[in-house]
Amino acid sequence: MKKTLYTIASLCCLAVPAARAQVYKTEEPLAHTYSIVARDPQTGEMAVGVQSHWFSVGTAVPWVEAGVGVVATQSFTNKSFGLRGLELLKQGKTPEEALAILLKDDEGREVRQVSILDAQGRVATHTGKQCIRYAGHITGKNFSVQANMMLTDKVWPAMAKAFEQSAGKPLAERVVLAMQAAEREGGDIRGKQSAVLVVVKGKKTDQPWDDKTIDLRVDDHEKPLDELERLLKVYRAYEHMNNGDLAVEKGQMDVAMQEYMKAETMFPDNLEMKYWHAITLANNGDVNGAIKLLREVYKKDANWKELTSRLPEVGLLVLQPQDMKRVLDIK
């Protein structure tokens, strides 16, 4: 990988005036890619979605902070634009002002592509004149799409159209739809390798560890967007599981069962979801219902039966001895 970076950087240096040679540095990832920054005006959530034919694009392009904004920095990526851009927003700068400050002293501005969106939905985007064709961007209300080194010039217009037409859906799903539209128009001329989806809350809380609500990365995959879509579906299923657990804590068993069933419907072969659904049934007196589910789980992996035997010692399964024997004697 290091050798590849040096090779590509050297070739690119030959294509521009010598005075600009210092612009291309091996520590700057070559994230030629397409991305979207977006905000949901109803929830205030902000997101960045990225796909590229480059390994682990999620480590370089997206930068986010709840209550502040999001940044996508790509092409010949200047990673400092991420943290510096967010800091400028925190200082009260608009995205346009922040972008102007970042680019002012950057000798590589013409090979940069960067977009900044703040918590108010304001956005500013720059595509340098020396970004590899096809390259461009479109900004709209609460979003911006940007792309470089694309197969055609239809990629980012397709992204913008898909995002605008998906109004009403959850923000994460809208971002994925926009990226899928990019692929249908050819996407990155080199193909595809990695993708990322990050979503943060619109307002900062006193529990910053929970301010990033979605953080999904596909670092190396033949079909990164398909995998990203699958991971988002898994995330949604586990949201139902968490909602079920919360309902159990509140004694709302009908709600809990509905949430567990929604999760299982999305991933019927997921043993974890089926298992904890069964344990919840058992703890709430429906041992027969629990046994029905546990039989399916044990049949596929006997280790779950061993786990069941360990739950009473930590208070996660509270049954009468005869019922405990029933759930462990399942054949």
Side-chain angles (χ1 to χ4, degrees), residues 42-116:
Q42 302 302 317
T43 66
E45 287 182 316
M46 297 172 287
V48 183
V50 190
Q51 200 279 149
S52 177
H53 188 280
W54 195 258
F55 175 69
S56 193
V57 73
T59 60
V61 175
W63 302 84
V64 302
E65 187 169 343
V68 178
V70 297
V71 178
T73 171
Q74 57 198 50
S75 187
F76 281 85
T77 304
N78 186 330
K79 290 194 289 186
S80 78
F81 282 3
L83 292 178
R84 291 167 59 204
L86 293 173
E87 180 59 33
L88 288 167
L89 293 182
K90 285 190 284 188
Q91 293 174 11
K93 305 295 185 184
T94 67
E96 285 191 2
E97 291 170 336
L99 185 58
I101 292 171
L102 293 176
L103 294 173
K104 181 179 179 181
D105 298 322
D106 179 26
E107 294 183 345
R109 68 180 70 87
E110 296 306 336
V111 297
R112 312 291 190 206
Q113 192 170 49
V114 58
S115 185
I116 303 176

Side-chain angles (χ1 to χ4, degrees), residues 34 50-51 176 179-180 183 192-197 214-236 267:
Y34 57 77
V50 190
Q51 200 279 149
V176 171
M179 291 195 288
Q180 289 172 334
E183 278 304 312
K192 43 194 177 287
Q193 183 172 3
S194 65
V196 62
L197 171 63
I214 297 178
D215 189 359
L216 303 176
R217 275 178 41 188
V218 180
D219 286 338
D220 185 31
H221 199 280
E222 290 184 1
K223 297 180 178 180
L225 278 187
D226 289 352
E227 178 63 5
L228 190 68
E229 183 181 30
R230 186 191 70 82
L231 291 176
L232 180 57
K233 184 179 178 183
V234 174
Y235 172 86
R236 295 303 186 197
F267 287 94

Side-chain angles (χ1 to χ4, degrees), residues 132-138 145 147-160 181-182 185-187 189:
I132 298 174
R133 173 164 70 89
Y134 288 99
H137 66 266
I138 294 175
V145 293
N148 64 88
M149 201 189 275
M150 295 295 104
L151 183 63
T152 76
D153 60 359
K154 296 181 175 62
V155 171
W156 57 98
M159 294 178 71
E185 294 298 337
I189 195 170

Side-chain angles (χ1 to χ4, degrees), residues 8 36 46 58-59 67 72 85 140 150 157 164 191 201 251 265 276 281 314 318:
I8 297 177
I36 174 172
M46 297 172 287
T59 60
M150 295 295 104
E164 291 175 326
K201 295 177 180 178
T265 299
W276 291 111
L281 287 173
V314 292
V318 182

